[in-house]
Amino acid sequence: LLSRAALEDRSCLRVGSHAKLPRAMLLRSSSLPALSRTARRALSGSCCPPGALPALAADEDRDLDGQVIQLDDVNHYVVAAEGTARGGLIVAYDVFGFSGGRIKSVCDSFAKCGFNVIMPDVYTGTEINGFGGLDGFMSGAEETVGWISAQNPAKYMPMLEGCKAFLAGEMGSANVGGFGLCWGAVPVFHAAGAGIIRAGVSAHPSLQAAGFYGEPGQPGEFAAKTGKCPMLLLPAQEDSLDDYGEEGAVTAAVRDLGFACVSHPFPEMHHGFVARGDTSDAATARDVETALQISADFFAEHL
């Protein structure tokens, strides 16, 4: 199931673009739950801040290294480590979903660095552009907030548990980390609080999105409840250093729980750059590779 074709480029990190996958039918807005007061309050700190990069069109210049499989009727992207595995990783994508930007190439990059990787399609074939896009967040569109509110812990926590079991049982990686981007930082912190992961990395994190799920909408307060493992934070220029910087509230909260927490800001990059930045730009390519490399090093240290 998880055999891999020989790679022409054996370097650890080469950030490419993934092949386009068929897009599943979007959920009808009429199937979305009514908005809670907590979800409406969370709009003031929506998932992607102003200035976030738009999703990149899928680029078919490279072949994917992994496969899409189904676990409990949900698509998962799975890619095996090159060489001896250093651990397992669960990747939680951003609001552009399972085919957003270069997200599968991010998974492939970690596999090239020696990690078994699995990424569940939490949004089950949907993504934000089908529900008003980032503009919907900024304007408070009911369909946008209803959609993100439906992507809640009751939905994704069983998936994360299933990913951990798959990594341990099918891929031999009992020690598991979590890598989240933007919204995906929320599942990573929830996974830490539940003991699913041993280390977490959050690229351009949007922990304020936890407010959509009845959690504290202040990132530091949410981290104080859930940040129960070593954490690396990779904020971009729009991400508040008061929250995610070396002296920020999230960093302090994780440390107060007794775990290491490191912040590595990327002040030249826009929110979303790791999976959606234009890597034809030399500075963006440099910082994407830096972000993935220090993340791999962090996981290697803590898994």
Side-chain angles (χ1 to χ4, degrees), residues 94-271:
D94 63 16
V95 291
F96 294 95
F98 199 60
S99 298
R102 293 170 285 95
I103 189 61
K104 294 185 178 70
S105 287
V106 168
C107 296
D108 290 353
S109 296
F110 281 124
K112 289 181 181 181
C113 287
F115 297 95
N116 291 318
V117 183
I118 185 168
M119 179 177 68
D121 186 12
V122 174
Y123 301 164
T124 53
T126 71
E127 50 99 356
I128 193 171
N129 281 331
F131 296 91
L134 295 182
D135 288 344
F137 269 135
M138 300 307 127
S139 66
E142 185 169 342
E143 66 168 348
T144 311
V145 184
W147 171 78
I148 197 66
S149 298
Q151 318 307 324
N152 54 51
K155 183 179 183 183
Y156 62 68
M157 289 300 285
M159 295 184 193
L160 300 182
E161 292 278 10
C163 287
K164 181 179 182 179
F166 184 88
L167 286 167
E170 302 297 326
M171 305 187 81
S173 293
N175 294 338
V176 175
F179 183 82
L181 304 93
C182 180
W183 171 89
V186 176
V188 165
F189 270 74
H190 268 141
I196 296 172
I197 60 173
R198 296 169 59 105
V201 177
S202 296
H204 26 84
S206 292
L207 292 183
Q208 63 271 24
F212 290 115
Y213 311 125
E215 297 281 11
Q218 294 298 318
E221 294 179 21
F222 178 60
K225 290 183 61 178
T226 58
K228 299 178 181 179
C229 72
M231 293 287 187
L232 171 64
L233 307 174
L234 308 175
Q237 63 177 251
E238 294 88 1
D239 304 313
S240 171
L241 296 184
D242 289 340
D243 291 320
Y244 304 113
E246 188 62 22
E247 306 299 325
V250 172
T251 313
V254 175
R255 291 172 180 168
D256 286 347
L257 291 171
F259 299 98
C261 190
V262 179
S263 174
H264 186 114
F266 288 85
E268 297 180 32
M269 296 293 105
H270 288 293
H271 182 93

Side-chain angles (χ1 to χ4, degrees), residues 4-175:
R4 305 182 56 184
L7 297 172
E8 294 180 2
D9 184 348
R10 304 292 290 187
S11 62
C12 180
L13 288 175
R14 179 186 174 95
V15 182
S17 301
H18 61 72
K20 182 176 288 187
L21 297 176
R23 188 176 182 182
M25 183 177 295
L26 298 175
L27 292 174
R28 296 177 184 269
S29 60
S30 60
S31 68
L32 297 171
L35 303 185
S36 66
R37 291 182 180 178
T38 302
R40 291 186 183 279
R41 286 197 300 269
L43 268 176
S44 61
S46 65
C47 192
C48 288
L53 296 170
L56 300 177
D59 187 336
E60 299 181 2
D61 285 348
R62 68 178 296 271
D63 293 328
L64 294 174
D65 298 333
Q67 301 179 43
V68 176
I69 67 170
Q70 282 206 331
L71 300 176
D72 296 325
D73 297 321
V74 174
N75 283 337
H76 292 65
Y77 183 69
V78 177
V79 56
E82 286 191 4
T84 302
R86 304 158 78 181
L89 297 183
I90 302 170
V91 172
Y93 50 48
D94 63 16
V95 291
F96 294 95
F98 199 60
S99 298
R102 293 170 285 95
I103 189 61
K104 294 185 178 70
S105 287
V106 168
C107 296
D108 290 353
S109 296
F110 281 124
K112 289 181 181 181
C113 287
F115 297 95
N116 291 318
V117 183
I118 185 168
M119 179 177 68
D121 186 12
V122 174
Y123 301 164
T124 53
T126 71
E127 50 99 356
I128 193 171
N129 281 331
F131 296 91
L134 295 182
D135 288 344
F137 269 135
M138 300 307 127
S139 66
E142 185 169 342
E143 66 168 348
T144 311
V145 184
W147 171 78
I148 197 66
S149 298
Q151 318 307 324
N152 54 51
K155 183 179 183 183
Y156 62 68
M157 289 300 285
M159 295 184 193
L160 300 182
E161 292 278 10
C163 287
K164 181 179 182 179
F166 184 88
L167 286 167
E170 302 297 326
M171 305 187 81
S173 293
N175 294 338

